[in-house]
């Protein structure tokens, strides 16, 4: 499907801005609508090495992001592990990242309108095709049913805190797993502040309890949070098999497609969605600008297998057991005593180790890892 005429992109986040820029660079007339444009979104803002290699223009903007070289992991029972990352992870303020991508789209020829869009009638937008990129909870729906409507959600809650008030150096992100929670607490240091938050399945426990657990953790570390700006947000959490049957594009009433968080393209283990937002926007621009596979075919070939593999692993990651203890405790123990396992975790957090072949690598390294632990206690 390669629609002609004006294309309206609804949503100015990373997915919408990337898609709009790609379409405009291919000579299409594009109008992007967003009621806020650049704004500070409640998320970590991390871009892995995989994303930075895919989009090197982001790596060059050092003044806009904080380069993270360390990751502190803490297991549910309090075992702490410090990983020295050998691949770059960049933590962006979403205000800066969104502004950068919107300016890039504007430079490519996109007309940007700060306007709230509520109706789904494309005639009201003067559009011959629609791109829906208004986030996971957007109220804009194409007429075709979407499998995404039945998916689960993760709740997040957190604070924006000054870097000077944190107990970690600015090059270190911290992740704390908690007992009986299929989620984690994070501290992601940005260029001038940190996003500190907690995530877990929506309603299990209630969001107010998530917030209380985060605040208790902050109090325990002596981190001042009272009076800081609070945020909460919902993230899509895919169930195994759901994305394979989801509807990503259609033709009623005009050609339309859905990208990024709006398409629920989010890692169900970590909640990371920036890479998938950028890449899905790019794939749609390519599909709508040149001959070749459809957008749906491109997404199902490149993005869905990895996300489906993550969805299949998610429940076991948080609740599974191995050798008599939880997966998370074994992960911390193995990494504390095995160089091979530490490298695997570094690759996983940097995005260079995917989920599709993770199980194979784990089994291949199990015997050497156990030997390394036995000979180097």
């Amino acid at each position: 499907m390669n629609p002609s005429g004006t294309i309206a992109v609804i949503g100015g986040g990373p997915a919408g801005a990337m898609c709009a820029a790609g379409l405009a660079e291919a000579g299409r007339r594009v109008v992007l609508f967003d009621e806020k444009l650049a704004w500070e979104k409640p998320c970590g803002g991390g871009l892995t090495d995989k994303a930075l290699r895919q989009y090197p223009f982001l790596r060059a903007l050092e003044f806009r992001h904080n380069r993270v070289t360390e990751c502190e992991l803490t297991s549910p029972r309090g075992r702490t592990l410090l990983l020295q990352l050998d691949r770059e992870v960049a933590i962006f303020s979403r205000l800066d990242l969104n502004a950068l991508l919107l300016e890039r789209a504007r430079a490519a020829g996109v007309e940007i309108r700060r306007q709230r869009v509520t109706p789904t009638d494309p005639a009201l937008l003067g559009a011959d095709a629609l791109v829906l990129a208004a986030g996971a909870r957007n109220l804009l729906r194409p007429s075709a049913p979407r499998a995404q409507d039945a998916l689960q959600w993760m709740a997040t809650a957190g604070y924006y805190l000054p870097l000077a008030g944190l107990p970690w150096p600015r090059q270190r992100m911290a992740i704390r797993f908690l007992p009986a929670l299929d989620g984690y607490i994070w501290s992601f240091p940005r260029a001038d502040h940190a996003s500190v938050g907690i995530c877990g399945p929506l309603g299990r426990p209630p969001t107010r309890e998530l917030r209380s657990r985060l605040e208790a953790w902050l109090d325990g570390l002596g981190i001042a949070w009272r009076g800081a700006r609070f945020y909460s947000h919902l993230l899509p959490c895919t169930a195994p098999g759901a994305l394979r049957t989801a509807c990503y594009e259609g033709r009623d009433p005009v050609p339309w497609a859905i990208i990024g968080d709006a398409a629920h393209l989010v890692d169900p283990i970590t909640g990371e969605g920036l890479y998938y937002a950028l890449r899905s926007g790019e794939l749609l621009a390519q599909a709508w600008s040149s001959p070749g596979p459809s957008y749906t075919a491109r997404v199902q070939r490149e993005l869905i297998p990895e996300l489906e593999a993550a969805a299949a692993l998610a429940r076991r990651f948080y609740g599974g057991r191995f050798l008599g203890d939880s997966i998370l405790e074994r992960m911390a123990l193995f990494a504390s005593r095995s160089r091979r396992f530490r490298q695997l975790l570094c690759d996983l957090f940097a995005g260079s180790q995917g989920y599709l072949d993770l199980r194979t690598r784990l089994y291949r390294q199990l015997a050497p890892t156990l030997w390394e632990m036995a000979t180097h206690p």
Side-chain angles (χ1 to χ4, degrees), residues 260-318:
D261 281 11
H264 288 212
L265 299 175
V266 175
D267 185 323
I269 293 179
T270 66
E272 193 272 322
L274 279 175
Y275 171 77
Y276 297 102
L278 293 168
R279 187 60 178 148
S280 63
E282 184 178 39
L283 289 175
L284 177 58
Q286 293 170 354
W288 279 13
S289 302
S290 59
S294 69
Y295 167 62
T296 295
R298 294 171 194 246
V299 167
Q300 290 182 340
R301 179 183 63 199
E302 181 176 330
L303 302 184
I304 300 308
E306 187 73 11
L307 292 173
E308 286 285 335
L313 287 171
R315 186 177 296 274
R316 180 162 175 78
F317 179 79
Y318 286 111

Side-chain angles (χ1 to χ4, degrees), residues 4 151 216 230 318 334:
S4 60
L151 298 185
F230 173 77
Y318 286 111
F334 281 25

Side-chain angles (χ1 to χ4, degrees), residues 171-374:
Q171 76 273 13
R172 184 182 303 174
M173 61 180 178
I175 296 175
R176 173 66 155 101
F177 298 104
L178 298 176
L181 178 68
D182 291 356
Y184 57 93
I185 290 174
W186 72 81
S187 173
F188 283 0
R190 299 171 172 181
D192 59 355
H193 70 279
S195 169
V196 181
I198 187 171
C199 64
L202 180 63
R204 308 192 317 271
T207 304
R208 64 179 179 275
E209 184 177 328
L210 279 179
R211 181 175 179 176
S212 295
R213 295 183 75 172
L214 171 65
E215 292 169 352
W217 179 75
L218 292 171
D219 284 338
L221 293 176
I223 298 174
W225 55 268
R226 292 169 177 82
R229 181 181 169 192
F230 173 77
Y231 63 80
S232 62
H233 191 58
L234 288 182
L235 292 174
C237 181
T238 59
L243 291 176
R244 285 197 301 270
T245 58
C247 186
Y248 297 101
E249 60 184 332
R251 291 182 175 274
D252 183 15
V254 297
W256 61 266
I258 190 164
I259 58 177
D261 281 11
H264 288 212
L265 299 175
V266 175
D267 185 323
I269 293 179
T270 66
E272 193 272 322
L274 279 175
Y275 171 77
Y276 297 102
L278 293 168
R279 187 60 178 148
S280 63
E282 184 178 39
L283 289 175
L284 177 58
Q286 293 170 354
W288 279 13
S289 302
S290 59
S294 69
Y295 167 62
T296 295
R298 294 171 194 246
V299 167
Q300 290 182 340
R301 179 183 63 199
E302 181 176 330
L303 302 184
I304 300 308
E306 187 73 11
L307 292 173
E308 286 285 335
L313 287 171
R315 186 177 296 274
R316 180 162 175 78
F317 179 79
Y318 286 111
R321 298 183 66 80
F322 181 70
L323 296 179
D325 209 340
S326 73
I327 293 289
L328 291 173
E329 293 296 339
R330 287 304 181 200
M331 180 181 75
L333 174 63
F334 281 25
S336 68
R337 295 170 56 182
S338 167
R339 176 188 57 81
R340 285 183 178 85
F341 202 83
R342 278 196 304 276
Q343 185 60 55
L344 185 151
L345 289 186
C346 287
D347 293 345
L348 192 62
F349 278 94
S352 56
Q353 171 61 58
Y355 294 111
L356 280 171
D357 58 346
L358 178 60
R359 187 187 300 270
T360 300
R361 182 175 175 184
L362 284 168
Y363 281 123
R364 188 174 65 244
Q365 290 191 184
L366 180 57
T369 297
L370 292 175
W371 174 256
E372 195 173 16
M373 293 175 62

Side-chain angles (χ1 to χ4, degrees), residues 50-69:
K50 177 174 70 172
L52 296 172
R53 283 186 284 110
Q54 183 78 30
Y55 306 108
F57 72 91
L58 293 172
R59 191 192 299 270
L61 297 166
E62 294 187 3
F63 69 97
R64 295 288 189 98
H65 70 260
N66 184 35
R67 184 172 181 267
V68 169
T69 58

Side-chain angles (χ1 to χ4, degrees), residues 29-66:
R29 182 176 186 273
V30 185
V31 183
L32 184 149
F33 298 85
D34 192 288
E35 64 175 310
K36 295 181 178 179
L37 297 181
W39 60 292
E40 192 61 86
K41 184 178 179 181
C43 72
L47 282 170
T48 62
D49 177 72
K50 177 174 70 172
L52 296 172
R53 283 186 284 110
Q54 183 78 30
Y55 306 108
F57 72 91
L58 293 172
R59 191 192 299 270
L61 297 166
E62 294 187 3
F63 69 97
R64 295 288 189 98
H65 70 260
N66 184 35

